[in-house]
Amino acid sequence: MDLTFSNSDLSFRKEVVAFLEEEYPSDIKEKQDKRVPLEKEEIIRWQKILHGKGWFAINWPTEYSGYQDLSVTEKYILQEELANVNAPTMIPFGVGMCAPVIYSFGTDQQKEKYLPSILNSDVWWCQGYSEPGSGSDLASLKTKAETKDENYLVNGTKTWTTLAQHADWIFCLVRTETTEIKQEGISFLLIDMKTPGIEVKPIITIDGSHEVNMVYFDNVEVPKENLVGKEGQGWNIAKFLLAHERSGIAGIAALKRELRRLKDLSSDIQLGEGTLIDDPQFRSKIEETEIELTATEFTELRTLAAMSHGGSPGAESSILKIKGTELQQTISELFVEMLGYYAHPFYLENELGSNETVGPDYAAPVMPHYLNFRKVSIYGGSNEIQRNVISKAILGL
Amino acid sequence: MDFTFNEEQTLIQGQVEQFIQKEYDWETRQKLSNSDLGFGEKNWKTFAELGWLGISVSEDNGGFGGSAIETMLIMEEFGKGLVVEPFLETVVMSLGLLDRYGSDQQISDVMSEVINGKIHLALAYAEPQSRFNLSDVVTEAKKEGDNFIINGFKSVVMNGPVANKIIISARTSGKQMDKKGVSLFLVDSNTAGLTKTDYKTVDGRRASDINLENVTISNDSLIGSLDKGFGLLDEAIDRSILAISAEAVGAMEVLYKTTVEYTKTREQFGTPIGKFQVLQHRMVDMFMEYEQCKSLLYMATMKNEEGSLDAKKAISGLKYQVGKAGKFVGQQSVQLHGGMGVTDELNVGHYFKRLTTIGTIFGNADFHLKQYTSL
């Protein structure tokens, strides 16, 4: 047991800080600091910069990334420093989700074809999992892939597809066979979004933003070589991937930064003779959140340490998903509370950052953020489902 | 002890309920909320024709002399329909204050115009630094000859964009937080030096920030007596808390019922999700929160109406409960609707947004818990 950083860890931290001072583009920083949504180009540009340094696909085996391997502690330091400057979070669908499936289950040809462009952020991926009738019960999905000559013929509808409007490719769970046990007929298929028969329709959410979409497949022909793994193996791949998705979902470093920001801003808000942070009720909510956050941080560190010794993130990642998302929601709620009436003026996504806003200059994105974050206890397997996972897999109930 | 409504009250409740059912389907509500005006001009005329705008105004001033019960019933139905017409702002917050404390001149200028639906009002009480403290007033009104000259800034004035006349709290003496020395003025919104920045609020309504620069108004714009506006304002806000809490109760009723219905039809794992015990208990809690709010609403409304000594404490208790319960019911309705709950298309998210702003307006749960403790 040892919580101290070694000398080499400390010099790694210096390297990260120096790199960010040098390489983090000021135009992106300005938008990020104002909490203005980024353009696709800006996200890609930043991911390429990180990749150039070998700090983008840090969880890939080095044989695929070509990176120098980072220790668990170094990854932790990197995440923390990236979050400290509020660098854009990477879009996980390619690098964090599709790629691990391809290098774990794909053929050599598939690895050669898909991994380099993911590494370079040249191809934008999205995730085709949920369907209108299949949310928490993902295995009930109905999108069909039938064999037609050398191809699959795909028909069905995917929903809540994040940033599909930007995507070049989509990885999908499809039904290749109707089986007694519904999990057994599912396969994992890669589909080019330019294929005829695909239509993307926006879903506007309560924060007024366009982040998620419906994706319709109407007789879409997909080459059989785009199947990853074997027919019917899709459910196992999905489970593997969900565990991957959940382990990064806590976003601890970003939460620490936001909590700090909440403290800083609320120390500047006049309340009677003092400031808002002196208000005992508000203060104790911040402190309670901080304790919960610290606990979650160390739960994550324990999980990561176990993984670095060869363990895989199992049901423990459900703890991180639940606690991380609850913290995201609590902190976004405290920002709303902090603002009082100035949380109410409402601007659409494309109006943010303009001079139209009233109230403090940080006010406009606060309410949209709170509203948007209602999704986090629903997506990636709702928190009710995560509790089921823990009760079954860990408690044996 | 009697919790039944009299014949007239039942009649008006039925009238409003019918209006919501016939004229206020969800699509219409969204169209109105997204229009430039932000509500239905025609609906406002209907409210006037049906006598709702003057229902709680005293008979002496041309109203129907109804009690706070009528206002409560109207607001509860409005909450169910998520009505965006500014009844709270024009009628409850502002007209009620003028009805009680306006000068003869002010009453003859304003009362019939509002009751007939011709003009709108707003109450500008909040400032950037004031948070929920009504006596934290920096905006200043200086007497000069026969006039007052107002300088300052008012934040998030609900219904500001359409208000023809605005009641403004300003300091005429004392220090920033003093209750004594706050005065109220009735100001034409087109007075020189008054500039508004109008915007939409997250609940689909409208508000303005108002800058006041050497706004010159005559002495007879003063409402009540000089330096003694705080008590008037405080009373008006208490009545407004009762009204907005009634709206919240209506909104919560729709949310818990909608959620129960949804979970009966939404199937996952081969069964309606309403069969899962964890969700059943959640919905039971939502239902109980709603019932508890309703109980406090009835209690506080009657205490205020009777002029009971602990009415203020009851009102703070109510607003605390509404803040807490509104958040729980709103958030859980979204959660139980899953992805659909966070879409702009479904009404659930919009009810949640209104309950969120109601939680803040006139003081959040923390603020009212503190008030409750101090009373």
Side-chain angles (χ1 to χ4, degrees):
Chain A
M1 296 282 283
D2 185 8
L3 290 180
T4 56
F5 291 110
S6 69
N7 282 335
S8 87
D9 291 337
L10 294 174
S11 65
F12 179 76
R13 190 184 288 276
K14 273 188 196 152
E15 189 190 346
V16 178
V17 171
F19 169 81
L20 290 172
E21 270 172 21
E22 202 65 24
E23 302 290 337
Y24 183 28
S26 56
D27 62 323
I28 296 180
K29 182 180 187 315
E30 200 187 320
K31 277 187 147 181
Q32 283 287 103
D33 288 349
K34 281 192 192 160
R35 270 63 182 169
V36 176
L38 296 181
E39 302 290 329
K40 179 180 178 179
E41 175 278 322
E42 292 159 331
I43 295 167
I44 291 173
R45 176 149 50 98
W46 176 237
Q47 291 188 169
K48 279 177 182 280
I49 291 170
L50 283 179
H51 170 57
K53 180 72 180 171
W55 288 347
F56 176 55
I58 56 171
N59 290 322
W60 291 22
T62 49
E63 58 168 314
Y64 300 118
S65 65
Y67 290 177
Q68 214 167 359
D69 209 6
L70 296 178
S71 70
V72 168
T73 314
E74 285 170 335
K75 285 178 188 172
Y76 167 83
I77 291 170
L78 177 61
Q79 301 295 356
E80 193 167 60
E81 293 303 331
L82 284 168
N84 280 346
V85 298
N86 195 18
T89 42
M90 63 170 188
I91 304 297
F93 307 108
V95 65
M97 298 167 81
C98 190
V101 168
I102 290 171
Y103 64 63
S104 307
F105 300 94
T107 62
D108 287 343
Q109 285 97 320
Q110 286 172 333
K111 290 177 195 173
E112 248 167 67
K113 181 173 176 190
Y114 298 109
L115 294 181
S117 60
I118 292 177
L119 205 50
N120 276 318
S121 301
D122 289 333
V123 169
W124 188 298
W125 285 82
C126 65
Q127 180 192 33
Y129 270 31
S130 295
E131 296 182 6
S134 307
S136 292
D137 183 11
L138 187 57
S140 69
L141 61 92
K142 290 196 173 69
T143 295
K144 244 193 203 167
E146 294 161 300
T147 298
K148 186 194 167 199
D149 308 325
E150 294 305 295
N151 295 325
Y152 288 113
L153 196 62
V154 179
N155 279 291
T157 307
K158 294 293 178 181
T159 191
W160 317 124
T161 313
T162 304
L163 299 177
Q165 70 265 38
H166 295 332
D168 306 298
W169 281 73
I170 183 169
F171 59 90
C172 284
L173 290 179
V174 293
R175 186 161 297 288
T176 40
E177 204 186 339
T178 309
T179 45
E180 188 87 345
I181 299 165
K182 57 192 178 180
Q183 282 84 352
E184 286 176 358
I186 295 172
S187 302
F188 194 96
L189 196 58
L190 312 177
I191 305 176
D192 187 338
M193 290 291 279
K194 286 187 295 293
T195 321
I198 298 181
E199 194 189 355
V200 178
K201 275 193 187 159
I203 300 172
I204 304 302
T205 42
I206 48 174
D207 55 327
S209 75
H210 171 205
E211 189 179 39
V212 287
N213 302 274
M214 300 280 280
V215 183
Y216 299 92
F217 298 86
D218 180 19
N219 287 325
V220 175
E221 291 189 21
V222 182
K224 283 221 159 174
E225 63 190 38
N226 290 14
L227 177 77
V228 182
K230 295 189 190 73
E231 274 193 13
Q233 206 189 354
W235 187 250
N236 283 334
I237 296 178
K239 278 201 296 188
F240 159 89
L241 219 165
L242 276 175
H244 261 261
E245 185 186 358
R246 282 176 204 143
S247 61
I249 221 162
I252 299 296
L255 288 172
K256 282 163 75 178
R257 178 198 66 233
E258 288 305 297
L259 195 61
R260 258 196 326 269
R261 187 162 167 263
L262 182 70
K263 282 181 176 175
D264 288 347
L265 292 174
S266 54
S267 330
D268 277 340
I269 293 176
Q270 205 190 321
L271 182 70
E273 303 296 310
T275 66
L276 182 57
I277 193 118
D278 305 319
D279 178 66
Q281 292 163 301
F282 192 72
R283 177 101 199 182
S284 72
K285 283 188 219 175
I286 288 184
E287 310 290 23
E288 282 170 22
T289 307
E290 190 171 280
I291 293 166
E292 185 79 27
L293 178 54
T294 308
T296 310
E297 179 180 15
F298 279 82
T299 301
E300 181 173 61
L301 286 171
R302 283 170 56 214
T303 310
L304 291 174
M307 275 168 69
S308 76
H309 296 299
S312 69
E316 286 80 5
S317 66
S318 291
I319 305 177
L320 296 174
K321 200 271 169 172
I322 293 169
K323 290 298 174 185
T325 53
E326 285 177 353
L327 282 161
Q328 283 177 324
Q329 292 181 331
T330 304
I331 292 173
S332 71
E333 193 175 307
L334 288 173
F335 270 98
V336 170
E337 226 175 90
M338 173 186 81
L339 269 178
Y341 284 106
Y342 273 122
H344 297 177
F346 191 62
Y347 300 92
L348 292 173
E349 200 173 23
N350 54 12
E351 296 168 326
L352 289 177
S354 69
N355 295 322
E356 301 289 308
T357 52
V358 294
D361 57 6
Y362 53 81
V366 166
M367 180 63 86
H369 201 71
Y370 167 67
L371 296 172
N372 183 278
F373 266 17
R374 298 320 304 170
K375 75 186 176 188
V376 300
S377 50
I378 297 167
Y379 72 18
S382 74
N383 287 10
E384 286 84 2
I385 292 291
Q386 305 295 343
R387 285 185 164 86
N388 286 346
V389 169
I390 294 173
S391 91
K392 268 194 204 129
I394 302 183
L395 306 185
L397 296 170
Chain B
M1 194 70 63
D2 177 15
F3 290 102
T4 55
F5 304 118
N6 68 29
E7 205 177 321
E8 278 166 17
Q9 290 162 347
T10 312
L11 200 73
I12 183 117
Q13 184 182 33
Q15 219 178 29
V16 186
E17 190 181 6
Q18 212 172 39
F19 166 80
I20 306 287
Q21 278 171 5
K22 286 195 176 154
E23 313 281 337
Y24 224 83
D25 60 274
W26 183 245
E27 212 175 305
T28 307
R29 189 268 180 194
Q30 285 303 80
K31 261 192 205 140
L32 294 173
S33 171
N34 291 322
S35 68
D36 284 343
L37 188 65
F39 64 89
E41 226 165 353
K42 206 179 119 238
N43 287 336
W44 196 254
K45 291 222 169 71
T46 306
F47 293 5
E49 280 158 19
L50 294 171
W52 300 349
L53 301 179
I55 197 139
S56 296
V57 171
S58 59
E59 285 173 13
D60 287 351
N61 290 334
F64 297 94
S67 70
I69 310 292
E70 280 82 349
T71 305
M72 179 184 87
L73 292 171
I74 292 175
M75 287 300 291
E76 190 178 340
E77 295 303 321
F78 280 178
K80 291 183 197 168
L82 213 58
V83 166
V84 282
E85 279 68 17
F87 184 85
L88 173 78
E89 293 86 341
T90 294
V91 177
V92 183
M93 292 169 71
S94 311
L95 193 64
L97 200 154
L98 290 172
D99 179 35
R100 287 165 178 80
Y101 300 105
S103 65
D104 292 347
Q105 181 68 43
Q106 286 162 345
I107 284 169
S108 79
D109 281 355
V110 172
M111 209 51 77
S112 72
E113 294 275 281
V114 177
I115 292 175
N116 293 324
K118 294 206 172 103
I119 66 166
H120 275 277
L121 304 175
L123 177 57
Y125 58 96
E127 298 188 357
Q129 84 294 339
S130 69
R131 207 164 167 86
F132 309 122
N133 183 356
L134 300 172
S135 69
D136 184 342
V137 178
V138 177
T139 296
E140 203 178 32
K142 270 195 181 146
K143 199 163 166 51
E144 238 184 66
D146 290 339
N147 295 326
F148 282 98
I149 297 173
I150 310 182
N151 278 288
F153 195 89
K154 292 290 169 182
S155 336
V156 198
V157 179
M158 301 184 289
N159 201 35
V162 298
N164 306 78
K165 288 170 188 288
I166 302 170
I167 300 171
I168 293 174
S169 63
R171 185 154 294 289
T172 40
S173 74
K175 292 197 297 291
Q176 185 181 331
M177 312 277 172
D178 290 351
K179 289 179 180 167
K180 191 166 180 291
V182 175
S183 302
L184 300 180
F185 299 93
L186 183 63
V187 182
D188 266 18
S189 62
N190 56 10
T191 311
L194 186 157
T195 42
K196 294 190 291 191
T197 308
D198 300 340
Y199 45 83
K200 197 173 175 179
T201 48
V202 66
D203 47 17
R205 302 167 81 99
R206 300 293 185 278
S208 312
D209 273 23
I210 299 181
N211 192 45
L212 302 150
E213 199 181 337
N214 293 322
V215 173
T216 307
I217 49 169
S218 69
N219 277 343
D220 53 21
S221 307
L222 180 70
I223 304 170
S225 11
L226 190 69
D227 290 339
K228 288 183 182 152
F230 175 80
L232 283 51
L233 178 62
D234 196 39
E235 272 182 28
I237 296 298
D238 280 349
R239 284 191 302 273
S240 305
I241 289 175
L242 292 170
I244 209 172
S245 297
E247 184 188 343
V249 165
M252 280 186 249
E253 182 179 342
V254 170
L255 276 185
Y256 95 73
K257 285 183 174 166
T258 306
T259 305
V260 167
E261 284 313 306
Y262 178 74
T263 60
K264 282 184 191 169
T265 55
R266 170 73 176 176
E267 289 196 8
Q268 293 282 275
F269 307 101
T271 169
I273 62 171
K275 290 281 174 213
F276 298 127
Q277 198 173 39
V278 69
L279 300 190
Q280 288 171 346
H281 286 189
R282 196 92 50 85
M283 287 184 281
V284 169
D285 287 340
M286 289 162 67
F287 162 71
M288 291 195 297
E289 289 291 328
Y290 152 78
E291 287 289 346
Q292 295 286 79
C293 281
K294 197 164 186 164
S295 300
L296 288 180
L297 173 67
Y298 284 9
M299 181 275 293
T301 303
M302 287 186 285
K303 285 203 166 177
N304 201 49
E305 192 65 8
E306 290 161 5
S308 164
L309 282 174
D310 57 356
K312 264 198 97 54
K313 189 164 181 139
I315 288 170
S316 276
L318 166 67
K319 189 63 172 56
Y320 164 78
Q321 173 70 20
V322 162
K324 195 172 68 94
K327 188 170 87 176
F328 177 74
V329 173
Q331 291 181 346
Q332 292 308 324
S333 304
V334 170
Q335 179 73 19
L336 268 57
H337 278 82
M340 285 309 293
V342 295
T343 61
D344 184 67
E345 187 193 345
L346 198 72
N347 61 3
V348 168
H350 296 272
Y351 280 86
F352 165 55
K353 289 200 260 189
R354 180 59 178 159
L355 284 174
T356 303
T357 61
I358 290 177
T360 303
I361 293 168
F362 311 132
N364 63 14
D366 277 3
F367 177 81
H368 281 285
L369 184 59
K370 222 177 300 175
Q371 295 288 102
Y372 187 89
T373 313
S374 74
L375 288 164

